[in-house]
Amino acid sequence: LAQAILKASSLQPCSKRLWRVPKMVDRMSVSIYGMDGTEVATIVAEGHWTARELLAAIPRAGESVQQRLVHGASILSTTSTLAEEGVEDGSVITLVRSKVLPLLVACEDQIARVLDALSGECMTSFRGHTGSVLSAEFSPDGSFALTGSTDKTAKIWDMESGRCTRTFRGHAGHVHSAVFSHDGTDVITASGDRLAGIW
């Protein structure tokens, strides 16, 4: 029988697979620090948690803030376990928070909308154009929005009140693009009438 096994194994090469099994950790104490070096929290975590579960245990800084965790030189994956990522009892993790800016969207229904980039929820609507909105952008300081439309106008909107503060008329064609100058003092428009305007 031993000769038959040797003979069979010599005819069919046998491949071995080695699997790295992460060290199983039941509970671990993890210190979370902000980018400025201040301690945000110390959390008793489970080794099978992912970064998503660890983030859920950290106090939030606000709704429009994206959070990521860094251990060593790597961003922690939201799908791998903490143990698989090399996090162990006593590890120090850095919490990186970044403000998620709102999105300004030009819409065919004659409305421009400000959306929360994380939830997709509409925060503000700008109504007043009589044609599709083709262009929309924030002012450099974020306090105004500028839109261009098929109604041949461009409009400036106050972000707080949602009201139109100024309408630019004079193009004979659709306003395809309306932008603020880098310092926010001028408005530049480009129209289907093949003219550009500086207002």
Side-chain angles (χ1 to χ4, degrees):
L1 183 63
Q3 287 179 338
I5 293 173
L6 284 173
K7 209 175 224 183
S9 67
S10 64
L11 295 174
Q12 298 176 353
C14 180
S15 64
K16 293 182 181 178
R17 291 189 180 176
L18 299 176
W19 298 91
R20 185 175 150 233
V21 178
K23 179 181 166 187
M24 295 308 290
V25 178
D26 292 322
R27 289 180 181 247
M28 60 178 84
S29 177
V30 179
S31 298
I32 311 292
Y33 284 86
M35 292 291 292
D36 61 358
T38 59
E39 186 173 8
V40 175
T42 298
I43 296 174
V44 176
E46 302 287 333
H48 63 272
W49 282 12
T50 64
R52 186 182 321 265
E53 292 163 308
L54 187 56
L55 280 169
I58 299 170
R60 292 282 295 172
E63 289 303 311
S64 294
V65 175
Q66 184 177 34
Q67 301 185 123
R68 298 200 183 245
L69 296 171
V70 177
H71 180 248
S74 301
I75 295 174
L76 294 180
S77 166
T78 56
T79 56
S80 300
T81 68
L82 296 176
E84 289 171 337
E85 293 281 343
V87 177
E88 53 192 31
D89 189 44
S91 287
V92 174
I93 296 176
T94 303
L95 174 64
V96 179
R97 288 180 169 152
S98 55
K99 184 173 172 65
V100 177
L101 299 176
L103 300 174
L104 180 57
V105 182
C107 303
E108 289 183 356
D109 64 0
Q110 305 175 0
I111 302 169
R113 293 176 175 83
V114 179
L115 305 177
D116 181 291
L118 290 178
S119 69
E121 191 174 318
C122 183
M123 299 163 55
T124 306
S125 295
F126 302 119
R127 300 170 187 268
H129 281 291
T130 58
S132 297
V133 180
L134 302 177
S135 173
E137 83 161 27
F138 292 112
S139 63
D141 66 0
S143 58
F144 296 97
L146 173 64
T147 57
S149 170
T150 59
D151 66 8
K152 305 174 188 172
T153 68
K155 294 180 180 286
I156 293 180
W157 308 86
D158 182 271
M159 287 295 295
E160 282 190 35
S161 69
R163 293 194 175 129
C164 179
T165 62
R166 187 159 178 206
T167 300
F168 302 95
R169 291 182 176 86
H171 282 294
H174 300 168
V175 176
H176 293 283
S177 180
V179 297
F180 284 102
S181 60
H182 73 282
D183 60 2
T185 59
D186 294 315
V187 168
I188 298 98
T189 56
S191 170
D193 62 10
R194 299 170 68 182
L195 295 174
I198 300 176
W199 312 82

